[in-house]
Amino acid sequence: MNAVTALVMATEADALSLLAASAVRSRAEMMLAAGLRDGLAHFRINLDRMDDVADAVLATIDKAYPSLKIPFHARWRHFVVDGADRWSDIADRVSWPDAATRARAEFDLAIVSVLLDAGAGAAWRYRDERSGKAIGRSEGLAIASLDMFASGAFSSDSRDPLRVDADRLADLSVAALEQGFQASAENPLVGLEGRANLLRRLGAHVAARKDVFATRDGPRPGGLFDHLVAHANNGTIAAPTVLSEVLRHLGPIWPSRLALAGIPLGDCWRHDAIRTDDATDRLMPLHKLSQWLTYSLIEPLQRAGLVVTDIDGLTGLAEYRNGGLLVDLGVLSLRDARDADRAHEVDSTLVVEWRALTVALLDLLATRIRAQLGRSAAELPLASLLEGGTWAAGRAAAFARRADGAPPIKVISDGTVF
């Protein structure tokens, strides 16, 4: 698709129904049901191998978090290098006038850093001056984005570097991002143009929606904090509500995607296994980056004094570490083994199947692991299981099988999905 596709006979309610974690979960369950009937075009499912996945995840948790005090899977974990929390080191030296000011800065940082967090490719590395390490993948992207943020690269006010201003983002050049991420022909970063374009679109959108992003300050992504505070009920807000607001108010930045009733649907794709009797027929929402962002906004909200409820109302993340774990350990197998050697577009039925099955199977895995550990969902939320957890186990499984740690299925990325 080269342009947003508008589907006819759709209402705003149809579109908004897809901008919800509940839609991701229920439709992922439809995909799983089809797979268990052996009715999918690309994957077979072997639930007997779920014990192997559970064992791998439990071993990973035991090594990293033997006390079972597992933080949420959020961008903040990637700002820790050699035990040093880089963001806390910066933030704790600042005399914030109030909790809301810090929260806006943390929203700014989280939103930009997460949007830059699509897969970097196996070759790219960021040379971290403080540690002297060459850091790749998500951790490298995190430190690179944090260094850019801390240097004022996204701020229009030299006196206040720890902010992201809409006008600065709207003018962000590929060259600036290339320099900040140390990308070059010798150190290639996948999807560099797509990342820069996404941030420019974010800047233009934030500037245009001052009613959402500029109620307490100039237009900035961190203005979403004030918008969410206004939607809280006596200082309490549900995590799925945060996601829905993220999807509604950041959705327009995503390029070349489906729309219903003029509303962009973001990370949402077509698949014939998803059947409904309305205009949302055959549509499979996944919202990976938006849910990853929502997980990353929970802690700033909590630090600012809000109570965030129903965190398990969000879903697992439909990305290649969680999904790769299921393929590498045999729960999911390709009907055509040659598909492992091919590269697949993100809107292909194969990739949509893989990602949706990942979401549904993560719920089954969570139930299994909680039972083995004697923990409730409140004691071991999905956000902690991902961190503890499935993401790290997926990476370990990939490196055990492929020298470069690449996922078992190749996805053509434009820097805006994975």
Side-chain angles (χ1 to χ4, degrees), residues 7-18 23 27 30 260 270 274-283:
L7 302 182
V8 298
M9 303 300 292
T11 67
E12 179 178 320
D14 290 327
L16 296 181
S17 73
L18 295 172
R27 291 173 185 238
M30 287 186 202
L260 277 179
R270 296 181 188 277
I274 309 303
R275 302 310 309 269
T276 66
D277 59 2
D278 59 17
T280 70
D281 187 45
R282 295 181 172 88
L283 293 179

PDB file of all heavy atoms in Angstrom, residues 7-18 23 27 30 260 270 274-283:
ATOM      1  N   LEU A   7     -11.724   2.370   4.075  1.00  0.00           N
ATOM      2  CA  LEU A   7     -12.701   1.322   3.844  1.00  0.00           C
ATOM      3  C   LEU A   7     -14.107   1.911   3.960  1.00  0.00           C
ATOM      4  O   LEU A   7     -14.406   2.707   4.843  1.00  0.00           O
ATOM      5  CB  LEU A   7     -12.496   0.204   4.873  1.00  0.00           C
ATOM      6  CG  LEU A   7     -11.098  -0.430   4.871  1.00  0.00           C
ATOM      7  CD1 LEU A   7     -11.042  -1.542   5.904  1.00  0.00           C
ATOM      8  CD2 LEU A   7     -10.739  -0.972   3.506  1.00  0.00           C
ATOM      9  N   VAL A   8     -14.975   1.521   3.050  1.00  0.00           N
ATOM     10  CA  VAL A   8     -16.302   2.129   2.970  1.00  0.00           C
ATOM     11  C   VAL A   8     -17.240   1.537   4.008  1.00  0.00           C
ATOM     12  O   VAL A   8     -16.991   0.479   4.575  1.00  0.00           O
ATOM     13  CB  VAL A   8     -16.877   1.951   1.556  1.00  0.00           C
ATOM     14  CG1 VAL A   8     -16.008   2.663   0.543  1.00  0.00           C
ATOM     15  CG2 VAL A   8     -17.011   0.468   1.214  1.00  0.00           C
ATOM     16  N   MET A   9     -18.332   2.254   4.236  1.00  0.00           N
ATOM     17  CA  MET A   9     -19.416   1.809   5.109  1.00  0.00           C
ATOM     18  C   MET A   9     -18.936   1.545   6.526  1.00  0.00           C
ATOM     19  O   MET A   9     -19.435   0.657   7.219  1.00  0.00           O
ATOM     20  CB  MET A   9     -20.081   0.553   4.533  1.00  0.00           C
ATOM     21  CG  MET A   9     -20.625   0.730   3.132  1.00  0.00           C
ATOM     22  SD  MET A   9     -21.874   2.025   3.029  1.00  0.00           S
ATOM     23  CE  MET A   9     -23.204   1.263   3.973  1.00  0.00           C
ATOM     24  N   ALA A  10     -17.962   2.298   6.972  1.00  0.00           N
ATOM     25  CA  ALA A  10     -17.457   2.133   8.325  1.00  0.00           C
ATOM     26  C   ALA A  10     -17.839   3.340   9.165  1.00  0.00           C
ATOM     27  O   ALA A  10     -17.901   4.465   8.672  1.00  0.00           O
ATOM     28  CB  ALA A  10     -15.949   1.970   8.298  1.00  0.00           C
ATOM     29  N   THR A  11     -18.080   3.103  10.443  1.00  0.00           N
ATOM     30  CA  THR A  11     -18.390   4.191  11.364  1.00  0.00           C
ATOM     31  C   THR A  11     -17.181   4.482  12.238  1.00  0.00           C
ATOM     32  O   THR A  11     -16.243   3.686  12.332  1.00  0.00           O
ATOM     33  CB  THR A  11     -19.569   3.818  12.265  1.00  0.00           C
ATOM     34  OG1 THR A  11     -19.173   2.738  13.133  1.00  0.00           O
ATOM     35  CG2 THR A  11     -20.774   3.386  11.435  1.00  0.00           C
ATOM     36  N   GLU A  12     -17.225   5.618  12.901  1.00  0.00           N
ATOM     37  CA  GLU A  12     -16.159   5.953  13.842  1.00  0.00           C
ATOM     38  C   GLU A  12     -16.079   4.904  14.945  1.00  0.00           C
ATOM     39  O   GLU A  12     -14.988   4.535  15.392  1.00  0.00           O
ATOM     40  CB  GLU A  12     -16.419   7.335  14.450  1.00  0.00           C
ATOM     41  CG  GLU A  12     -15.369   7.769  15.458  1.00  0.00           C
ATOM     42  CD  GLU A  12     -15.620   9.165  16.002  1.00  0.00           C
ATOM     43  OE1 GLU A  12     -16.029  10.037  15.203  1.00  0.00           O
ATOM     44  OE2 GLU A  12     -15.411   9.363  17.208  1.00  0.00           O
ATOM     45  N   ALA A  13     -17.224   4.394  15.367  1.00  0.00           N
ATOM     46  CA  ALA A  13     -17.231   3.368  16.419  1.00  0.00           C
ATOM     47  C   ALA A  13     -16.513   2.105  15.954  1.00  0.00           C
ATOM     48  O   ALA A  13     -15.814   1.454  16.749  1.00  0.00           O
ATOM     49  CB  ALA A  13     -18.673   3.037  16.818  1.00  0.00           C
ATOM     50  N   ASP A  14     -16.670   1.744  14.681  1.00  0.00           N
ATOM     51  CA  ASP A  14     -15.943   0.585  14.151  1.00  0.00           C
ATOM     52  C   ASP A  14     -14.441   0.797  14.293  1.00  0.00           C
ATOM     53  O   ASP A  14     -13.713  -0.089  14.744  1.00  0.00           O
ATOM     54  CB  ASP A  14     -16.275   0.375  12.667  1.00  0.00           C
ATOM     55  CG  ASP A  14     -17.693  -0.111  12.435  1.00  0.00           C
ATOM     56  OD1 ASP A  14     -18.205  -0.858  13.290  1.00  0.00           O
ATOM     57  OD2 ASP A  14     -18.274   0.260  11.401  1.00  0.00           O
ATOM     58  N   ALA A  15     -13.982   1.981  13.887  1.00  0.00           N
ATOM     59  CA  ALA A  15     -12.552   2.263  13.945  1.00  0.00           C
ATOM     60  C   ALA A  15     -12.047   2.252  15.377  1.00  0.00           C
ATOM     61  O   ALA A  15     -11.022   1.614  15.685  1.00  0.00           O
ATOM     62  CB  ALA A  15     -12.260   3.613  13.288  1.00  0.00           C
ATOM     63  N   LEU A  16     -12.751   2.926  16.266  1.00  0.00           N
ATOM     64  CA  LEU A  16     -12.292   3.013  17.651  1.00  0.00           C
ATOM     65  C   LEU A  16     -12.293   1.655  18.331  1.00  0.00           C
ATOM     66  O   LEU A  16     -11.494   1.409  19.246  1.00  0.00           O
ATOM     67  CB  LEU A  16     -13.160   4.008  18.430  1.00  0.00           C
ATOM     68  CG  LEU A  16     -13.084   5.465  17.953  1.00  0.00           C
ATOM     69  CD1 LEU A  16     -13.977   6.355  18.812  1.00  0.00           C
ATOM     70  CD2 LEU A  16     -11.647   5.978  17.967  1.00  0.00           C
ATOM     71  N   SER A  17     -13.157   0.750  17.884  1.00  0.00           N
ATOM     72  CA  SER A  17     -13.184  -0.592  18.486  1.00  0.00           C
ATOM     73  C   SER A  17     -11.878  -1.332  18.237  1.00  0.00           C
ATOM     74  O   SER A  17     -11.529  -2.246  19.000  1.00  0.00           O
ATOM     75  CB  SER A  17     -14.359  -1.398  17.933  1.00  0.00           C
ATOM     76  OG  SER A  17     -14.123  -1.819  16.589  1.00  0.00           O
ATOM     77  N   LEU A  18     -11.160  -0.964  17.177  1.00  0.00           N
ATOM     78  CA  LEU A  18      -9.884  -1.613  16.863  1.00  0.00           C
ATOM     79  C   LEU A  18      -8.711  -0.944  17.564  1.00  0.00           C
ATOM     80  O   LEU A  18      -7.613  -1.509  17.607  1.00  0.00           O
ATOM     81  CB  LEU A  18      -9.645  -1.606  15.350  1.00  0.00           C
ATOM     82  CG  LEU A  18     -10.632  -2.433  14.530  1.00  0.00           C
ATOM     83  CD1 LEU A  18     -10.414  -2.181  13.047  1.00  0.00           C
ATOM     84  CD2 LEU A  18     -10.506  -3.917  14.847  1.00  0.00           C
ATOM     85  N   ALA A  23      -9.351  -5.597  21.545  1.00  0.00           N
ATOM     86  CA  ALA A  23      -9.494  -6.054  20.160  1.00  0.00           C
ATOM     87  C   ALA A  23      -8.274  -6.856  19.732  1.00  0.00           C
ATOM     88  O   ALA A  23      -8.402  -7.863  19.018  1.00  0.00           O
ATOM     89  CB  ALA A  23      -9.688  -4.857  19.228  1.00  0.00           C
ATOM     90  N   ARG A  27      -8.998 -10.849  18.831  1.00  0.00           N
ATOM     91  CA  ARG A  27      -8.743 -11.269  17.451  1.00  0.00           C
ATOM     92  C   ARG A  27      -7.518 -12.168  17.355  1.00  0.00           C
ATOM     93  O   ARG A  27      -7.478 -13.062  16.490  1.00  0.00           O
ATOM     94  CB  ARG A  27      -8.646 -10.042  16.547  1.00  0.00           C
ATOM     95  CG  ARG A  27     -10.007  -9.375  16.410  1.00  0.00           C
ATOM     96  CD  ARG A  27      -9.988  -8.053  15.669  1.00  0.00           C
ATOM     97  NE  ARG A  27     -11.329  -7.473  15.714  1.00  0.00           N
ATOM     98  CZ  ARG A  27     -12.047  -7.157  14.641  1.00  0.00           C
ATOM     99  NH1 ARG A  27     -11.562  -7.321  13.420  1.00  0.00           N
ATOM    100  NH2 ARG A  27     -13.258  -6.655  14.782  1.00  0.00           N
ATOM    101  N   MET A  30      -8.886 -15.458  17.895  1.00  0.00           N
ATOM    102  CA  MET A  30      -9.477 -15.991  16.661  1.00  0.00           C
ATOM    103  C   MET A  30      -8.409 -16.653  15.794  1.00  0.00           C
ATOM    104  O   MET A  30      -8.624 -17.730  15.225  1.00  0.00           O
ATOM    105  CB  MET A  30     -10.124 -14.862  15.839  1.00  0.00           C
ATOM    106  CG  MET A  30     -11.408 -14.308  16.357  1.00  0.00           C
ATOM    107  SD  MET A  30     -12.066 -13.121  15.107  1.00  0.00           S
ATOM    108  CE  MET A  30     -13.134 -12.140  16.149  1.00  0.00           C
ATOM    109  N   LEU A 260     -10.228   3.524   8.890  1.00  0.00           N
ATOM    110  CA  LEU A 260     -11.680   3.321   8.862  1.00  0.00           C
ATOM    111  C   LEU A 260     -12.337   4.636   9.242  1.00  0.00           C
ATOM    112  O   LEU A 260     -11.940   5.265  10.233  1.00  0.00           O
ATOM    113  CB  LEU A 260     -12.113   2.243   9.856  1.00  0.00           C
ATOM    114  CG  LEU A 260     -12.019   0.767   9.468  1.00  0.00           C
ATOM    115  CD1 LEU A 260     -12.487  -0.093  10.625  1.00  0.00           C
ATOM    116  CD2 LEU A 260     -12.810   0.471   8.224  1.00  0.00           C
ATOM    117  N   ARG A 270      -4.666  -6.911   7.328  1.00  0.00           N
ATOM    118  CA  ARG A 270      -5.725  -7.803   6.846  1.00  0.00           C
ATOM    119  C   ARG A 270      -5.326  -9.274   6.996  1.00  0.00           C
ATOM    120  O   ARG A 270      -4.178  -9.644   6.751  1.00  0.00           O
ATOM    121  CB  ARG A 270      -6.002  -7.524   5.372  1.00  0.00           C
ATOM    122  CG  ARG A 270      -6.534  -6.145   5.061  1.00  0.00           C
ATOM    123  CD  ARG A 270      -6.786  -6.033   3.562  1.00  0.00           C
ATOM    124  NE  ARG A 270      -7.119  -4.684   3.150  1.00  0.00           N
ATOM    125  CZ  ARG A 270      -8.320  -4.138   3.225  1.00  0.00           C
ATOM    126  NH1 ARG A 270      -9.331  -4.855   3.702  1.00  0.00           N
ATOM    127  NH2 ARG A 270      -8.534  -2.903   2.824  1.00  0.00           N
ATOM    128  N   ILE A 274      -9.741 -13.654  10.327  1.00  0.00           N
ATOM    129  CA  ILE A 274     -10.414 -12.766  11.279  1.00  0.00           C
ATOM    130  C   ILE A 274     -11.751 -12.345  10.672  1.00  0.00           C
ATOM    131  O   ILE A 274     -11.804 -11.488   9.797  1.00  0.00           O
ATOM    132  CB  ILE A 274      -9.538 -11.534  11.590  1.00  0.00           C
ATOM    133  CG1 ILE A 274      -8.121 -11.960  11.997  1.00  0.00           C
ATOM    134  CG2 ILE A 274     -10.189 -10.679  12.650  1.00  0.00           C
ATOM    135  CD1 ILE A 274      -8.068 -12.889  13.187  1.00  0.00           C
ATOM    136  N   ARG A 275     -12.821 -12.969  11.123  1.00  0.00           N
ATOM    137  CA  ARG A 275     -14.140 -12.747  10.520  1.00  0.00           C
ATOM    138  C   ARG A 275     -15.092 -12.093  11.517  1.00  0.00           C
ATOM    139  O   ARG A 275     -15.269 -12.580  12.638  1.00  0.00           O
ATOM    140  CB  ARG A 275     -14.738 -14.058  10.020  1.00  0.00           C
ATOM    141  CG  ARG A 275     -13.889 -14.797   9.006  1.00  0.00           C
ATOM    142  CD  ARG A 275     -13.412 -13.904   7.856  1.00  0.00           C
ATOM    143  NE  ARG A 275     -14.483 -13.150   7.227  1.00  0.00           N
ATOM    144  CZ  ARG A 275     -15.191 -13.584   6.176  1.00  0.00           C
ATOM    145  NH1 ARG A 275     -14.935 -14.789   5.662  1.00  0.00           N
ATOM    146  NH2 ARG A 275     -16.127 -12.836   5.653  1.00  0.00           N
ATOM    147  N   THR A 276     -15.684 -10.988  11.088  1.00  0.00           N
ATOM    148  CA  THR A 276     -16.725 -10.324  11.864  1.00  0.00           C
ATOM    149  C   THR A 276     -17.849  -9.936  10.905  1.00  0.00           C
ATOM    150  O   THR A 276     -17.698 -10.040   9.682  1.00  0.00           O
ATOM    151  CB  THR A 276     -16.189  -9.060  12.568  1.00  0.00           C
ATOM    152  OG1 THR A 276     -15.828  -8.086  11.580  1.00  0.00           O
ATOM    153  CG2 THR A 276     -14.975  -9.381  13.427  1.00  0.00           C
ATOM    154  N   ASP A 277     -18.957  -9.481  11.448  1.00  0.00           N
ATOM    155  CA  ASP A 277     -20.097  -9.130  10.601  1.00  0.00           C
ATOM    156  C   ASP A 277     -20.243  -7.620  10.434  1.00  0.00           C
ATOM    157  O   ASP A 277     -21.334  -7.109  10.167  1.00  0.00           O
ATOM    158  CB  ASP A 277     -21.384  -9.726  11.165  1.00  0.00           C
ATOM    159  CG  ASP A 277     -21.676  -9.256  12.587  1.00  0.00           C
ATOM    160  OD1 ASP A 277     -20.891  -8.434  13.113  1.00  0.00           O
ATOM    161  OD2 ASP A 277     -22.678  -9.711  13.164  1.00  0.00           O
ATOM    162  N   ASP A 278     -19.124  -6.886  10.581  1.00  0.00           N
ATOM    163  CA  ASP A 278     -19.183  -5.442  10.405  1.00  0.00           C
ATOM    164  C   ASP A 278     -17.999  -4.972   9.564  1.00  0.00           C
ATOM    165  O   ASP A 278     -17.302  -5.785   8.948  1.00  0.00           O
ATOM    166  CB  ASP A 278     -19.218  -4.728  11.762  1.00  0.00           C
ATOM    167  CG  ASP A 278     -18.001  -5.056  12.628  1.00  0.00           C
ATOM    168  OD1 ASP A 278     -16.989  -5.556  12.093  1.00  0.00           O
ATOM    169  OD2 ASP A 278     -18.061  -4.796  13.853  1.00  0.00           O
ATOM    170  N   ALA A 279     -17.753  -3.685   9.553  1.00  0.00           N
ATOM    171  CA  ALA A 279     -16.703  -3.113   8.706  1.00  0.00           C
ATOM    172  C   ALA A 279     -15.297  -3.470   9.168  1.00  0.00           C
ATOM    173  O   ALA A 279     -14.332  -3.208   8.452  1.00  0.00           O
ATOM    174  CB  ALA A 279     -16.848  -1.587   8.649  1.00  0.00           C
ATOM    175  N   THR A 280     -15.168  -4.089  10.339  1.00  0.00           N
ATOM    176  CA  THR A 280     -13.843  -4.505  10.830  1.00  0.00           C
ATOM    177  C   THR A 280     -13.486  -5.925  10.386  1.00  0.00           C
ATOM    178  O   THR A 280     -12.483  -6.476  10.826  1.00  0.00           O
ATOM    179  CB  THR A 280     -13.779  -4.413  12.364  1.00  0.00           C
ATOM    180  OG1 THR A 280     -14.607  -5.430  12.940  1.00  0.00           O
ATOM    181  CG2 THR A 280     -14.228  -3.050  12.855  1.00  0.00           C
ATOM    182  N   ASP A 281     -14.311  -6.504   9.516  1.00  0.00           N
ATOM    183  CA  ASP A 281     -14.065  -7.860   9.034  1.00  0.00           C
ATOM    184  C   ASP A 281     -12.667  -7.981   8.418  1.00  0.00           C
ATOM    185  O   ASP A 281     -12.232  -7.109   7.664  1.00  0.00           O
ATOM    186  CB  ASP A 281     -15.115  -8.209   7.981  1.00  0.00           C
ATOM    187  CG  ASP A 281     -15.047  -9.654   7.526  1.00  0.00           C
ATOM    188  OD1 ASP A 281     -14.924 -10.544   8.387  1.00  0.00           O
ATOM    189  OD2 ASP A 281     -15.122  -9.896   6.303  1.00  0.00           O
ATOM    190  N   ARG A 282     -11.969  -9.061   8.780  1.00  0.00           N
ATOM    191  CA  ARG A 282     -10.640  -9.400   8.263  1.00  0.00           C
ATOM    192  C   ARG A 282      -9.539  -8.437   8.717  1.00  0.00           C
ATOM    193  O   ARG A 282      -8.457  -8.436   8.133  1.00  0.00           O
ATOM    194  CB  ARG A 282     -10.653  -9.495   6.730  1.00  0.00           C
ATOM    195  CG  ARG A 282     -11.498 -10.626   6.170  1.00  0.00           C
ATOM    196  CD  ARG A 282     -11.437 -10.653   4.643  1.00  0.00           C
ATOM    197  NE  ARG A 282     -12.089 -11.846   4.105  1.00  0.00           N
ATOM    198  CZ  ARG A 282     -13.384 -11.935   3.820  1.00  0.00           C
ATOM    199  NH1 ARG A 282     -14.164 -10.884   4.038  1.00  0.00           N
ATOM    200  NH2 ARG A 282     -13.901 -13.047   3.333  1.00  0.00           N
ATOM    201  N   LEU A 283      -9.793  -7.669   9.765  1.00  0.00           N
ATOM    202  CA  LEU A 283      -8.772  -6.748  10.258  1.00  0.00           C
ATOM    203  C   LEU A 283      -8.193  -7.249  11.571  1.00  0.00           C
ATOM    204  O   LEU A 283      -8.922  -7.581  12.508  1.00  0.00           O
ATOM    205  CB  LEU A 283      -9.357  -5.347  10.436  1.00  0.00           C
ATOM    206  CG  LEU A 283      -9.773  -4.639   9.141  1.00  0.00           C
ATOM    207  CD1 LEU A 283     -10.348  -3.275   9.445  1.00  0.00           C
ATOM    208  CD2 LEU A 283      -8.593  -4.522   8.182  1.00  0.00           C
TER     209      LEU A 283
END
